[in-house]
Amino acid sequence: TSLENDYSSHLVTLQTAATLASLDKVGIPRAVIVGVTDNEKYIAQRSFEMLKDRLIELSYVDVGTSSSEKEWKLVPKLALVEFHRIISAFNENYNRRNINSTFFSWLGPNPSRWKNIYFSEPDLILHIRPRALRSLSLELRKGHILNSHRLQPIPHMQQFADIYSNITHLNKELADRLKEVLLPNLASFSAVHQLNQYSRIDTC
C-alpha cells in the first residue's frame, strides 16, 4: 500500500542518514551514494537534507541503465566497476584537464586529495573508537587494506525465557514460531559471554 511504501521509504531514509552521520563523526570528509532508481535518488536527497549542517560532502550518483530487478540487486558491483572506471579515467585525463561533471559527482571539486576509499552499505553504521583512529591511519599509510566487521545481533533464548515460558501455556503455535527464530539455550549455545567494558579486550 501507499502507507507501507511511505513508511518503508522513511525508514530507509533514516538508516541512510544515520550511516552518513556515523561517517561524518569519525572524520570521513565525503560520501557518495550510488543507486539505479529514482526512489534511491529520492531517499539519498532526503537523507542529505537531514545532514545539511554537517561538514561531510554528500553526493548521489546514478549508475543504472534500466530499472530492472536484476540490476537493482547488482548495485554494489555496479558501484565498484563504475568507480574503478572513474579513477582510471581521472588518472589518464588529469594532466590534460579534461575533467567533466561526472568526475566531480564522484570525487568532488578537488579529486586529487583523496588517498583512501571506504566502501560500505547504507545500513552499516560505522563505529570507531577515537583512540584507534591514529593507528588505523598509520596502517593505511603503509598501504594496508582495512576491513570493517559487522556485529550482527542474534536473539537468544536466555533473553526471551520468561516470554517463551508464558506463551507456551497460552499459544503453542506462537511459542513454536518464537523458538524457531531464537538461538537455543542448549549445548555450546548456552555459553553466552558478556563483554566487559573495563577489560582490555574490545573492538576499535
Side-chain angles (χ1 to χ4, degrees), residues 43-160:
I43 288 173
Q45 291 174 338
R46 287 182 60 193
S47 65
F48 293 169
E49 291 174 2
M50 294 181 179
L51 302 169
K52 59 184 179 181
D53 295 328
R54 302 273 184 154
L55 295 177
I56 188 172
E57 299 175 9
L58 300 169
S59 178
Y60 176 82
V61 175
D62 190 327
V63 295
T65 56
S66 70
S67 58
S68 67
E69 182 181 353
K70 181 178 180 181
E71 187 174 75
W72 178 82
K73 292 180 179 179
L74 292 176
V75 171
K77 184 176 181 179
L78 288 171
L80 286 174
V81 170
E82 183 64 12
F83 182 71
H84 182 269
R85 186 189 72 80
I86 288 293
I87 291 296
S88 298
F90 174 77
N91 290 334
E92 292 175 1
N93 295 324
Y94 181 70
N95 292 329
R96 285 177 275 170
R97 301 184 182 279
N98 184 23
I99 309 300
N100 57 35
S101 59
T102 302
F103 291 100
F104 292 130
S105 296
W106 282 93
L107 306 175
N110 186 13
S112 60
R113 68 176 169 144
W114 308 122
K115 300 296 186 295
N116 301 287
I117 301 298
Y118 173 68
F119 184 72
S120 184
E121 297 180 39
D123 61 343
L124 296 181
I125 295 177
L126 180 63
H127 293 283
I128 299 179
R129 294 183 183 274
R131 65 172 181 267
L133 287 173
R134 176 176 169 78
S135 297
L136 295 176
S137 177
L138 291 175
E139 293 302 318
L140 289 173
R141 292 176 185 176
K142 293 176 183 178
H144 294 165
I145 296 176
L146 304 181
N147 293 317
S148 58
H149 59 271
R150 180 186 298 209
L151 296 178
Q152 182 68 39
I154 301 177
H156 194 279
M157 181 59 80
Q158 285 188 14
Q159 298 172 290
F160 298 88

Side-chain angles (χ1 to χ4, degrees), residues 8 13 32 69 96 102 114 120 126 167 183 187 193-194 199:
S8 177
T13 300
V32 178
E69 182 181 353
R96 285 177 275 170
T102 302
W114 308 122
S120 184
L126 180 63
I167 65 173
L183 200 63
H193 303 281
Q194 300 292 332
S199 71

